[in-house]
Amino acid sequence: MTKKILITKIKNIYKRLNGCTIEYDLSQYYTILNKIKNFQQQLKNKSDRHLQQMSERIKFKIQKEGMPEHLLVESFALVCEAAWRILKLHPFDVQVLGALAMYQGKLAEMQTGEGKTLTAVFPAYLNALSGKGVHVLTFNDYLARRDAQWMGPIYQFLGLRVGYVQEGMSINERQNAYAADISYLTAKEAGFDYLRDSLCYEKDKVVHRPFNFAIIDEADSILIDEARIPLVIAGAEDEYLADPYYMAEIARKLEKGIDFEFDEYARNIHLTDMGQERVERLLSCDNLYAAENYELLTRLNCALHAQFLLHRDVDYIIRNGKIELVDEFTGRVADKRRWPDGLQAAIEAKENIDIQSRGTILNSITLQHFIQLYPKICGMTATAQPAEEEFRSFYNLHIVVIPPNRPCIRTDHQDVIFGSKVKKEKAIIDEIITVNKTRRPVLVGTQSVEESAVLAKAIQDKGVNCEVLNAKRDEYEAHVIAQAGKLGAVTISTNMAGRGTDIRLGGSDEKEKQQVMELGGLYVIGTNKHESQRIDQQLRGRAGRQGDPGSSRYFISLEDDLFIKYRLNELLPDNTLPGDQNGKIDNPIIRREVARIQRICEGQNLEIKKTLNKYSSLIEKQRTILFHRRENILRNYAAAYFFKRESPEKYNYYHLLIGEENVNRICRIISFYFMDNYWQHYLSEIGDIRESIHLKRVGGQDPYVEFQKLAIELFDKLLLKLDDQLIKTFESIEINNKSINLDELGMRGPSATWTYLINDNPFEHIIGMQLIGDPGKQLGAVIMTPLLALQLFFRKKRQL
């Protein structure tokens, strides 16, 4: 046993003793794998028709008897043989091992380039034989379409139907895609369809069928990075009570150090006394902090944050006349995402573009809670282990580490650390130019749109051609990123551009591949560290696929945003910093503290997620209660039974006048209208409570306990008021000429709805730490976040 293997085994034992459930021992899977391989040998000489009949027989048995182990072996062997006959793909042992882990409802960690798309076919096929449907949730629309079309012939050969969902599809197209045995789509589209279904008045408009089984590709991105982002369906327009454009103009006139100051983290802005007087003159109000001016003050705070704390081409870009947010994890444009409340309008006003109304929120759900609606889930990703606790805590997903088909020989170099950003940027440019002269391909992962554009221009000015990927053009990105391994290629992208696409050395040219391998393979350069080491590993993993050579290196500086934000300099002993901090730094203490900052960030973020999950879980349980009631009305005659029981005289009277079918329809519409209306107002009110609940800490109370009390009390009142309102409305209906005018009753749903995602609040860590932090430190935090405290008053006033 080598020293490296021994150290690995000791580390794994240590993890186990500390409660880690990651599986490294695959002996049980290898036993089943050998049975599958032996059975596949028996299929080699069988006809296509024999295999198809065998698939039909397995399907019949599963629907009748369940899943005996021998059917697992037979079905996996069948997929292996079908993949070879139809697509000439011979599954590697590690792909089958990963499939076995996923079939058991686990998370398979498989390295980049190991063929996860084919791996997903095994559990998808076997679970689809039950007839209840399988959803394969992917990273973007392009991958959903690509994978469905690529793997589709295997499913079709075996007698199953495959479909895919794309943004912009009609209701009929979506219904057909969901009715297929296997449906490929993004988690967001599945969630948005669920929200749209939750507002349907007619069951023939519903697109989903009952959830069964979900396979989650790029699981770390969907289940960790995107998990807390609420998916929202909105309807009626909001009216802004203060002019965002005028507020933006006022913000532009204010001067730092005279009219306002930043807090120590540069995450909030405070007006000085002079600034307050100046604003009051511009707004023609006596006291900006008076109760009647709360809405003005809230809008002003939004304008100040938009003007001074959110930056174009870093936090957002402007495209086609609209603000598009940049995802903090990927550095890429985040599709259909918005900031909450007045912050989005403030940015639009700052950039002098049309303000897109947020609308009234009709329903919402986080991706995390949406995924939990599936009775069974599994997933696969290349970077699961660093997030082991989150997968286990939030999804009860246990990780199985699948070894690579070929050992990874990528060289991950030590970080190169500089004292200043300027020196770092110069070193990166020099490195790219030097390596490009050898024709070795280079992939540079940047953190922002602005950084990628500036770096690209700098090396182009030096005569080096490059491809720049920093916007959401998934199909184009996938094509370009696939060619990033060609001789002489320089590709500059935000970190996750083209995710889901392998970078093949030399592209499709085998001769060129050999030349690139001799040069050392793909060279990946990272320009910034992230709050999560897992994101850093994702970028490194773009090189060294399938045993190919490759290397990676991060260039960082003590002036990078992450280290300024978490005050790295304060963690370092004075004697560790060189006198001239502009040059290259090679100090083990500094390297250790850089890694410690990432661990601190990860720990803090996990605690915040756990805390906020506790708050949202209670609301999700309440939403489920109401949703099940709504489902019962939609698919049965629950509404008619309710009114017949609670108001029998009126029900019988209406029944005689307009007939049973019309009465049932009216009962259903009244129920839907008021259930949706009451839930909409509940979401708004509970949102206000959650944003201000941290103030309870000042009085020594536990915010979560108080939140539970308020939420339960508020929801109980909702149910009582709802029943009273339903009966009152039902008994006040007037029938003229044997018909009911619903418009007169004011019970029409919104004429149009639209979906979007609420971006993580850019100041969410302050909120989170107020909820979980030390009470003695909360008062300062409360005083320093006027924007958050005032949202309550603004929303209340807006509802009047």
Side-chain angles (χ1 to χ4, degrees), residues 36 39-55 58 73-91 96 118 121-122 125 150-160:
I36 293 169
F39 195 88
Q40 186 190 357
Q41 288 300 317
Q42 301 174 30
L43 301 178
K44 292 293 184 183
N45 298 322
K46 303 295 184 182
S47 67
D48 289 355
R49 181 61 185 154
H50 179 89
L51 298 187
Q52 291 163 347
Q53 289 175 338
M54 181 179 167
S55 182
I58 294 174
V73 172
E74 290 179 21
S75 61
F76 271 43
L78 199 55
V79 173
C80 287
E81 186 61 22
W84 173 248
R85 293 191 186 190
I86 305 303
L87 299 181
K88 299 303 177 187
L89 294 175
H90 180 66
V96 180
L118 178 58
V121 173
F122 292 85
Y125 165 72
W150 184 13
M151 297 293 113
I154 299 177
Y155 297 119
Q156 291 158 10
F157 175 81
L158 295 173
L160 298 180

Side-chain angles (χ1 to χ4, degrees), residues 188 192 229-231 335-338 755-759:
K188 286 183 286 189
F192 284 141
I229 300 174
L231 286 71
D335 185 39
K336 296 174 68 174
R337 196 176 299 178
R338 297 170 62 86
T755 54
Y756 60 87
L757 296 96
I758 296 180
N759 193 60

Side-chain angles (χ1 to χ4, degrees), residues 749-768:
S751 57
T753 61
W754 61 95
T755 54
Y756 60 87
L757 296 96
I758 296 180
N759 193 60
D760 282 346
N761 191 318
F763 317 106
E764 67 170 309
H765 294 297
I766 294 177
I767 303 173

Side-chain angles (χ1 to χ4, degrees), residues 134-183:
V134 171
H135 291 175
V136 182
L137 303 179
T138 63
F139 189 64
N140 56 48
D141 271 1
Y142 161 71
L143 291 177
R145 184 177 69 254
R146 184 202 71 178
D147 292 354
Q149 292 174 342
W150 184 13
M151 297 293 113
I154 299 177
Y155 297 119
Q156 291 158 10
F157 175 81
L158 295 173
L160 298 180
R161 192 163 68 87
V162 64
Y164 59 88
V165 177
Q166 302 278 278
E167 184 181 350
M169 276 186 168
S170 67
I171 289 177
N172 286 339
E173 289 172 322
R174 289 173 185 272
Q175 287 173 331
N176 289 333
Y178 285 119
D181 297 297
I182 300 101
S183 306

Side-chain angles (χ1 to χ4, degrees), residues 383-417:
T383 48
Q385 293 186 70
E388 183 264 341
E389 186 177 350
E390 290 186 61
F391 284 124
R392 178 165 41 85
S393 299
F394 298 141
Y395 304 100
N396 196 30
L397 271 177
H398 299 285
I399 297 168
V400 179
V401 179
I402 308 298
N405 184 49
R406 296 176 181 172
C408 179
I409 60 171
R410 184 185 68 242
T411 302
D412 295 325
H413 295 289
Q414 269 196 334
D415 300 338
V416 184
I417 305 174

Side-chain angles (χ1 to χ4, degrees), residues 649-667:
E649 291 183 11
K650 275 288 185 181
Y651 182 89
N652 292 329
Y653 172 66
Y654 297 146
H655 188 276
L656 289 173
L657 281 179
I658 60 176
E660 183 177 10
E661 186 176 339
N662 284 327
V663 173
N664 288 341
R665 174 174 168 270
I666 296 306
C667 291

Side-chain angles (χ1 to χ4, degrees), residues 207-222:
V207 299
H208 273 298
R209 51 175 167 158
F211 295 127
N212 175 43
F213 179 58
I215 298 171
I216 301 155
D217 193 8
E218 306 294 356
D220 60 324
S221 176
I222 294 172

